Protein backbone atom coordinates (compact mmCIF):
# COMPACT_ATOMS: atom_id res chain seq x y z
CA UNK A 1 0.00 0.00 0.00
CA UNK A 2 1.31 3.44 -0.94
CA UNK A 3 1.96 5.48 2.21
CA UNK A 4 -0.60 8.22 2.62
CA UNK A 5 -0.13 11.28 4.86
CA UNK A 6 -3.49 10.64 6.54
CA UNK A 7 -2.17 7.32 7.84
CA UNK A 8 0.91 8.85 9.48
CA UNK A 9 -1.08 10.80 12.06
CA UNK A 10 -3.29 8.28 13.84
CA UNK A 11 -5.22 10.98 15.72
CA UNK A 12 -7.08 11.82 12.49
CA UNK A 13 -8.19 8.18 12.25
CA UNK A 14 -9.33 8.21 15.90
CA UNK A 15 -11.29 11.43 15.29
CA UNK A 16 -12.93 9.75 12.29
CA UNK A 17 -13.94 6.85 14.54
CA UNK A 18 -15.28 9.27 17.16
CA UNK A 19 -17.49 11.12 14.69
CA UNK A 20 -18.64 7.87 13.10
CA UNK A 21 -19.93 6.61 16.46
CA UNK A 22 -21.46 9.99 17.20
CA UNK A 23 -23.24 10.08 13.84
CA UNK A 24 -24.72 6.61 14.20
CA UNK A 25 -26.32 7.44 17.54
CA UNK A 26 -27.52 10.86 16.39
CA UNK A 27 -29.18 9.27 13.35
CA UNK A 28 -30.77 6.61 15.55
CA UNK A 29 -32.27 9.24 17.85
CA UNK A 30 -33.30 11.32 14.86
CA UNK A 31 -34.97 8.25 13.36
CA UNK A 32 -37.24 7.93 16.37
CA UNK A 33 -38.28 11.57 16.05
CA UNK A 34 -38.85 11.25 12.31
CA UNK A 35 -40.95 8.09 12.61
CA UNK A 36 -42.93 9.05 15.74
CA UNK A 37 -45.60 11.22 14.06
CA UNK A 38 -46.42 8.40 11.65
CA UNK A 39 -45.86 5.22 13.67
CA UNK A 40 -45.64 6.38 17.32
CA UNK A 41 -42.66 6.06 19.61
CA UNK A 42 -43.62 2.68 20.98
CA UNK A 43 -41.36 -0.15 21.99
CA UNK A 44 -42.23 -1.82 18.67
CA UNK A 45 -40.99 1.19 16.69
CA UNK A 46 -37.83 1.47 18.80
CA UNK A 47 -37.17 -2.23 18.29
CA UNK A 48 -37.49 -1.78 14.53
CA UNK A 49 -35.17 1.25 14.56
CA UNK A 50 -32.52 -0.44 16.67
CA UNK A 51 -32.81 -3.74 14.79
CA UNK A 52 -32.49 -2.25 11.33
CA UNK A 53 -29.58 -0.09 12.41
CA UNK A 54 -27.83 -3.12 13.91
CA UNK A 55 -28.41 -5.05 10.67
CA UNK A 56 -26.94 -2.16 8.66
CA UNK A 57 -23.94 -1.85 10.96
CA UNK A 58 -23.22 -5.60 10.94
CA UNK A 59 -23.36 -5.77 7.15
CA UNK A 60 -21.24 -2.63 6.94
CA UNK A 61 -18.65 -4.20 9.25
CA UNK A 62 -18.43 -7.25 7.02
CA UNK A 63 -18.17 -5.20 3.83
CA UNK A 64 -15.75 -2.71 5.39
CA UNK A 65 -13.41 -5.45 6.57
CA UNK A 66 -13.37 -7.18 3.21
CA UNK A 67 -13.01 -3.90 1.36
CA UNK A 68 -10.11 -2.77 3.55
CA UNK A 69 -8.30 -6.07 3.01
CA UNK A 70 -8.90 -6.02 -0.73
CA UNK A 71 -8.08 -2.37 -1.33
CA UNK A 72 -6.62 -0.60 1.72
CA UNK A 73 -7.17 2.89 0.36
CA UNK A 74 -8.45 5.47 2.87
CA UNK A 75 -9.81 7.55 -0.01
CA UNK A 76 -12.49 4.89 -0.56
CA UNK A 77 -13.48 4.96 3.13
CA UNK A 78 -13.72 8.74 3.23
CA UNK A 79 -15.71 8.65 -0.01
CA UNK A 80 -18.20 6.31 1.68
CA UNK A 81 -18.37 8.65 4.68
CA UNK A 82 -19.13 11.62 2.40
CA UNK A 83 -21.89 9.66 0.64
CA UNK A 84 -23.36 8.70 4.04
CA UNK A 85 -23.21 12.34 5.16
CA UNK A 86 -25.01 13.55 2.04
CA UNK A 87 -27.68 10.85 2.41
CA UNK A 88 -28.19 11.73 6.09
CA UNK A 89 -28.42 15.44 5.24
CA UNK A 90 -31.22 14.64 2.77
CA UNK A 91 -33.30 12.67 5.30
CA UNK A 92 -35.19 15.69 6.69
CA UNK A 93 -35.98 16.86 3.17
CA UNK A 94 -37.26 13.57 1.74
CA UNK A 95 -37.82 11.32 4.78
CA UNK A 96 -41.44 12.22 5.43
CA UNK A 97 -42.32 11.73 1.77
CA UNK A 98 -40.71 8.29 1.79
CA UNK A 99 -42.67 7.38 4.92
CA UNK A 100 -45.92 8.62 3.38
CA UNK A 101 -45.21 6.79 0.10
CA UNK A 102 -44.36 3.52 1.82
CA UNK A 103 -47.43 3.82 4.04
CA UNK A 104 -49.64 4.51 1.02
CA UNK A 105 -48.40 1.41 -0.77
CA UNK A 106 -48.58 -0.84 2.28
CA UNK A 107 -52.01 0.29 3.43
CA UNK A 108 -53.45 -1.42 0.36
CA UNK A 109 -51.25 -4.51 0.49
CA UNK A 110 -50.79 -5.37 4.18
CA UNK A 111 -53.74 -6.83 6.06
CA UNK A 112 -52.21 -7.15 9.51
CA UNK A 113 -49.33 -5.63 11.45
CA UNK A 114 -49.32 -2.50 9.30
CA UNK A 115 -47.32 -0.56 11.90
CA UNK A 116 -44.57 -3.17 11.97
CA UNK A 117 -44.28 -3.54 8.21
CA UNK A 118 -44.52 0.16 7.40
CA UNK A 119 -42.03 1.22 10.09
CA UNK A 120 -39.64 -1.56 9.08
CA UNK A 121 -39.85 -0.66 5.38
CA UNK A 122 -39.36 3.04 6.14
CA UNK A 123 -36.29 2.29 8.27
CA UNK A 124 -34.87 0.02 5.60
CA UNK A 125 -35.26 2.62 2.85
CA UNK A 126 -34.26 5.72 4.83
CA UNK A 127 -31.60 4.56 7.27
CA UNK A 128 -29.98 1.28 6.26
CA UNK A 129 -27.81 2.55 3.39
CA UNK A 130 -26.05 5.43 5.21
CA UNK A 131 -25.59 3.36 8.36
CA UNK A 132 -24.26 0.47 6.30
CA UNK A 133 -21.66 2.91 4.97
CA UNK A 134 -20.85 4.12 8.48
CA UNK A 135 -20.54 0.47 9.51
CA UNK A 136 -17.56 0.18 7.17
CA UNK A 137 -15.59 2.72 9.20
CA UNK A 138 -14.32 0.64 12.12
CA UNK A 139 -12.88 -2.33 10.22
CA UNK A 140 -11.30 0.02 7.69
CA UNK A 141 -9.72 2.14 10.39
CA UNK A 142 -8.40 -0.97 12.12
CA UNK A 143 -6.69 -1.90 8.86
CA UNK A 144 -5.14 1.57 8.57
CA UNK A 145 -4.22 1.93 12.25
CA UNK A 146 -2.60 -1.38 13.15
CA UNK A 147 1.14 -1.16 12.62
CA UNK A 148 2.10 -4.51 14.10
CA UNK A 149 0.61 -7.53 15.79
CA UNK A 150 2.39 -6.48 18.99
CA UNK A 151 0.05 -3.55 19.59
CA UNK A 152 -3.08 -4.43 17.61
CA UNK A 153 -5.15 -5.04 20.75
CA UNK A 154 -4.28 -1.59 22.07
CA UNK A 155 -5.04 0.02 18.72
CA UNK A 156 -8.40 -1.73 18.32
CA UNK A 157 -9.24 -0.92 21.94
CA UNK A 158 -8.46 2.76 21.41
CA UNK A 159 -10.57 2.86 18.25
CA UNK A 160 -13.42 1.18 20.11
CA UNK A 161 -13.11 3.69 22.94
CA UNK A 162 -13.21 6.64 20.53
CA UNK A 163 -16.29 5.13 18.84
CA UNK A 164 -18.02 4.56 22.17
CA UNK A 165 -17.25 8.05 23.47
CA UNK A 166 -18.58 9.47 20.20
CA UNK A 167 -21.68 7.30 20.58
CA UNK A 168 -22.25 8.58 24.11
CA UNK A 169 -21.98 12.18 22.99
CA UNK A 170 -24.10 11.35 19.94
CA UNK A 171 -26.78 10.09 22.33
CA UNK A 172 -26.85 13.00 24.78
CA UNK A 173 -26.13 15.93 22.47
CA UNK A 174 -29.18 15.50 20.18
CA UNK A 175 -31.54 14.74 23.07
CA UNK A 176 -30.53 17.59 25.33
CA UNK A 177 -29.04 20.20 22.99
CA UNK A 178 -29.51 20.07 19.22
CA UNK A 179 -33.10 18.81 18.88
CA UNK A 180 -34.51 21.17 21.55
CA UNK A 181 -32.49 24.12 20.27
CA UNK A 182 -32.62 23.68 16.50
CA UNK A 183 -35.01 20.84 15.73
CA UNK A 184 -34.73 17.61 13.82
CA UNK A 185 -33.87 19.14 10.44
CA UNK A 186 -30.59 20.60 11.65
CA UNK A 187 -29.72 17.44 13.61
CA UNK A 188 -29.60 15.41 10.41
Amino acid sequence: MKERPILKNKIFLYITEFFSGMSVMAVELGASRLLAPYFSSSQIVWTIIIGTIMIAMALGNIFGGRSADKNPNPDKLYGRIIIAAIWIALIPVVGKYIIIGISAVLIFTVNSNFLVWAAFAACMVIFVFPLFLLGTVTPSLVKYSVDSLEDNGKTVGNLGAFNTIGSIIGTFLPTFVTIPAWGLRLLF
Side-chain angles (χ1 to χ4, degrees), residues 11-31:
I11 192 66
F12 189 74
L13 302 176
Y14 289 119
I15 290 169
T16 301
E17 186 73 3
F18 171 85
F19 281 109
S20 173
M22 187 176 174
S23 299
V24 168
M25 293 309 298
V27 168
E28 186 169 333
L29 289 167

mmCIF file of all heavy atoms in Angstrom, residues 11-31:
data_model
loop_
_atom_site.group_PDB
_atom_site.id
_atom_site.type_symbol
_atom_site.label_atom_id
_atom_site.label_comp_id
_atom_site.label_asym_id
_atom_site.label_seq_id
_atom_site.Cartn_x
_atom_site.Cartn_y
_atom_site.Cartn_z
ATOM 1 N N ILE A 11 -4.161 10.238 15.039
ATOM 2 C CA ILE A 11 -5.224 10.977 15.718
ATOM 3 C C ILE A 11 -6.363 11.301 14.747
ATOM 4 O O ILE A 11 -7.526 11.302 15.128
ATOM 5 C CB ILE A 11 -4.694 12.250 16.424
ATOM 6 C CG1 ILE A 11 -5.746 12.831 17.371
ATOM 7 C CG2 ILE A 11 -4.253 13.295 15.423
ATOM 8 C CD1 ILE A 11 -6.067 11.953 18.547
ATOM 9 N N PHE A 12 -6.038 11.544 13.482
ATOM 10 C CA PHE A 12 -7.077 11.816 12.492
ATOM 11 C C PHE A 12 -7.987 10.593 12.318
ATOM 12 O O PHE A 12 -9.202 10.720 12.188
ATOM 13 C CB PHE A 12 -6.456 12.213 11.150
ATOM 14 C CG PHE A 12 -7.467 12.700 10.164
ATOM 15 C CD1 PHE A 12 -8.045 13.944 10.297
ATOM 16 C CD2 PHE A 12 -7.860 11.898 9.101
ATOM 17 C CE1 PHE A 12 -8.993 14.397 9.394
ATOM 18 C CE2 PHE A 12 -8.802 12.338 8.191
ATOM 19 C CZ PHE A 12 -9.366 13.597 8.341
ATOM 20 N N LEU A 13 -7.401 9.408 12.361
ATOM 21 C CA LEU A 13 -8.187 8.179 12.251
ATOM 22 C C LEU A 13 -9.068 7.986 13.481
ATOM 23 O O LEU A 13 -10.223 7.569 13.373
ATOM 24 C CB LEU A 13 -7.267 6.983 12.031
ATOM 25 C CG LEU A 13 -6.371 7.064 10.789
ATOM 26 C CD1 LEU A 13 -5.439 5.862 10.728
ATOM 27 C CD2 LEU A 13 -7.171 7.195 9.521
ATOM 28 N N TYR A 14 -8.532 8.320 14.668
ATOM 29 C CA TYR A 14 -9.327 8.211 15.899
ATOM 30 C C TYR A 14 -10.478 9.223 15.895
ATOM 31 O O TYR A 14 -11.583 8.919 16.339
ATOM 32 C CB TYR A 14 -8.452 8.406 17.134
ATOM 33 C CG TYR A 14 -7.508 7.259 17.391
ATOM 34 C CD1 TYR A 14 -6.137 7.437 17.389
ATOM 35 C CD2 TYR A 14 -8.001 5.979 17.635
ATOM 36 C CE1 TYR A 14 -5.271 6.388 17.614
ATOM 37 C CE2 TYR A 14 -7.139 4.915 17.865
ATOM 38 C CZ TYR A 14 -5.782 5.127 17.852
ATOM 39 O OH TYR A 14 -4.939 4.074 18.083
ATOM 40 N N ILE A 15 -10.227 10.414 15.384
ATOM 41 C CA ILE A 15 -11.291 11.425 15.287
ATOM 42 C C ILE A 15 -12.371 10.957 14.315
ATOM 43 O O ILE A 15 -13.566 11.151 14.552
ATOM 44 C CB ILE A 15 -10.696 12.794 14.879
ATOM 45 C CG1 ILE A 15 -9.874 13.359 16.042
ATOM 46 C CG2 ILE A 15 -11.780 13.770 14.450
ATOM 47 C CD1 ILE A 15 -9.033 14.570 15.685
ATOM 48 N N THR A 16 -11.964 10.316 13.231
ATOM 49 C CA THR A 16 -12.933 9.752 12.289
ATOM 50 C C THR A 16 -13.802 8.727 12.990
ATOM 51 O O THR A 16 -15.026 8.714 12.825
ATOM 52 C CB THR A 16 -12.210 9.108 11.089
ATOM 53 O OG1 THR A 16 -11.415 10.099 10.432
ATOM 54 C CG2 THR A 16 -13.193 8.493 10.112
ATOM 55 N N GLU A 17 -13.192 7.870 13.794
ATOM 56 C CA GLU A 17 -13.937 6.845 14.538
ATOM 57 C C GLU A 17 -14.896 7.494 15.528
ATOM 58 O O GLU A 17 -16.035 7.060 15.674
ATOM 59 C CB GLU A 17 -12.965 5.914 15.263
ATOM 60 C CG GLU A 17 -13.616 4.753 15.943
ATOM 61 C CD GLU A 17 -14.106 3.677 14.984
ATOM 62 O OE1 GLU A 17 -13.890 3.781 13.770
ATOM 63 O OE2 GLU A 17 -14.735 2.725 15.457
ATOM 64 N N PHE A 18 -14.449 8.537 16.204
ATOM 65 C CA PHE A 18 -15.283 9.272 17.161
ATOM 66 C C PHE A 18 -16.537 9.811 16.477
ATOM 67 O O PHE A 18 -17.655 9.596 16.933
ATOM 68 C CB PHE A 18 -14.464 10.419 17.772
ATOM 69 C CG PHE A 18 -15.266 11.370 18.605
ATOM 70 C CD1 PHE A 18 -15.520 11.093 19.936
ATOM 71 C CD2 PHE A 18 -15.758 12.547 18.062
ATOM 72 C CE1 PHE A 18 -16.254 11.971 20.713
ATOM 73 C CE2 PHE A 18 -16.498 13.429 18.827
ATOM 74 C CZ PHE A 18 -16.742 13.150 20.157
ATOM 75 N N PHE A 19 -16.350 10.513 15.367
ATOM 76 C CA PHE A 19 -17.493 11.121 14.686
ATOM 77 C C PHE A 19 -18.384 10.075 14.013
ATOM 78 O O PHE A 19 -19.584 10.297 13.860
ATOM 79 C CB PHE A 19 -17.046 12.195 13.694
ATOM 80 C CG PHE A 19 -16.720 13.486 14.376
ATOM 81 C CD1 PHE A 19 -15.403 13.915 14.474
ATOM 82 C CD2 PHE A 19 -17.706 14.261 14.949
ATOM 83 C CE1 PHE A 19 -15.084 15.099 15.128
ATOM 84 C CE2 PHE A 19 -17.413 15.439 15.604
ATOM 85 C CZ PHE A 19 -16.088 15.866 15.693
ATOM 86 N N SER A 20 -17.819 8.957 13.647
ATOM 87 C CA SER A 20 -18.635 7.868 13.104
ATOM 88 C C SER A 20 -19.596 7.350 14.175
ATOM 89 O O SER A 20 -20.799 7.206 13.929
ATOM 90 C CB SER A 20 -17.735 6.741 12.606
ATOM 91 O OG SER A 20 -18.499 5.623 12.241
ATOM 92 N N GLY A 21 -19.070 7.067 15.358
ATOM 93 C CA GLY A 21 -19.928 6.610 16.458
ATOM 94 C C GLY A 21 -20.958 7.654 16.835
ATOM 95 O O GLY A 21 -22.127 7.343 17.078
ATOM 96 N N MET A 22 -20.550 8.900 16.863
ATOM 97 C CA MET A 22 -21.460 9.991 17.198
ATOM 98 C C MET A 22 -22.595 10.096 16.175
ATOM 99 O O MET A 22 -23.762 10.257 16.531
ATOM 100 C CB MET A 22 -20.676 11.301 17.258
ATOM 101 C CG MET A 22 -21.429 12.480 17.740
ATOM 102 S SD MET A 22 -20.274 13.870 17.832
ATOM 103 C CE MET A 22 -21.400 15.171 18.228
ATOM 104 N N SER A 23 -22.242 9.969 14.920
ATOM 105 C CA SER A 23 -23.236 10.081 13.842
ATOM 106 C C SER A 23 -24.265 8.955 13.894
ATOM 107 O O SER A 23 -25.457 9.196 13.698
ATOM 108 C CB SER A 23 -22.540 10.082 12.489
ATOM 109 O OG SER A 23 -21.665 11.170 12.387
ATOM 110 N N VAL A 24 -23.800 7.750 14.145
ATOM 111 C CA VAL A 24 -24.723 6.613 14.197
ATOM 112 C C VAL A 24 -25.784 6.835 15.271
ATOM 113 O O VAL A 24 -26.979 6.653 15.038
ATOM 114 C CB VAL A 24 -23.966 5.284 14.423
ATOM 115 C CG1 VAL A 24 -24.931 4.151 14.760
ATOM 116 C CG2 VAL A 24 -23.134 4.935 13.204
ATOM 117 N N MET A 25 -25.354 7.247 16.446
ATOM 118 C CA MET A 25 -26.315 7.438 17.538
ATOM 119 C C MET A 25 -27.232 8.635 17.277
ATOM 120 O O MET A 25 -28.422 8.592 17.590
ATOM 121 C CB MET A 25 -25.590 7.584 18.873
ATOM 122 C CG MET A 25 -24.896 6.317 19.310
ATOM 123 S SD MET A 25 -25.949 4.835 19.274
ATOM 124 C CE MET A 25 -27.204 5.273 20.460
ATOM 125 N N ALA A 26 -26.688 9.695 16.705
ATOM 126 C CA ALA A 26 -27.519 10.858 16.388
ATOM 127 C C ALA A 26 -28.579 10.495 15.348
ATOM 128 O O ALA A 26 -29.740 10.906 15.466
ATOM 129 C CB ALA A 26 -26.647 12.006 15.894
ATOM 130 N N VAL A 27 -28.205 9.708 14.361
ATOM 131 C CA VAL A 27 -29.177 9.274 13.354
ATOM 132 C C VAL A 27 -30.230 8.378 13.998
ATOM 133 O O VAL A 27 -31.418 8.492 13.694
ATOM 134 C CB VAL A 27 -28.474 8.558 12.175
ATOM 135 C CG1 VAL A 27 -29.485 7.849 11.279
ATOM 136 C CG2 VAL A 27 -27.672 9.560 11.362
ATOM 137 N N GLU A 28 -29.813 7.494 14.885
ATOM 138 C CA GLU A 28 -30.771 6.606 15.545
ATOM 139 C C GLU A 28 -31.793 7.407 16.345
ATOM 140 O O GLU A 28 -32.993 7.139 16.266
ATOM 141 C CB GLU A 28 -30.024 5.641 16.469
ATOM 142 C CG GLU A 28 -30.910 4.594 17.091
ATOM 143 C CD GLU A 28 -30.109 3.510 17.785
ATOM 144 O OE1 GLU A 28 -28.961 3.250 17.412
ATOM 145 O OE2 GLU A 28 -30.678 2.915 18.719
ATOM 146 N N LEU A 29 -31.337 8.398 17.095
ATOM 147 C CA LEU A 29 -32.275 9.237 17.850
ATOM 148 C C LEU A 29 -33.135 10.078 16.912
ATOM 149 O O LEU A 29 -34.326 10.267 17.155
ATOM 150 C CB LEU A 29 -31.518 10.121 18.835
ATOM 151 C CG LEU A 29 -30.931 9.359 20.009
ATOM 152 C CD1 LEU A 29 -29.947 10.224 20.773
ATOM 153 C CD2 LEU A 29 -32.028 8.857 20.921
ATOM 154 N N GLY A 30 -32.531 10.571 15.853
ATOM 155 C CA GLY A 30 -33.304 11.320 14.857
ATOM 156 C C GLY A 30 -34.348 10.450 14.182
ATOM 157 O O GLY A 30 -35.453 10.904 13.866
ATOM 158 N N ALA A 31 -34.016 9.176 13.978
ATOM 159 C CA ALA A 31 -34.970 8.245 13.361
ATOM 160 C C ALA A 31 -36.227 8.124 14.206
ATOM 161 O O ALA A 31 -37.346 8.109 13.674
ATOM 162 C CB ALA A 31 -34.327 6.873 13.169
#
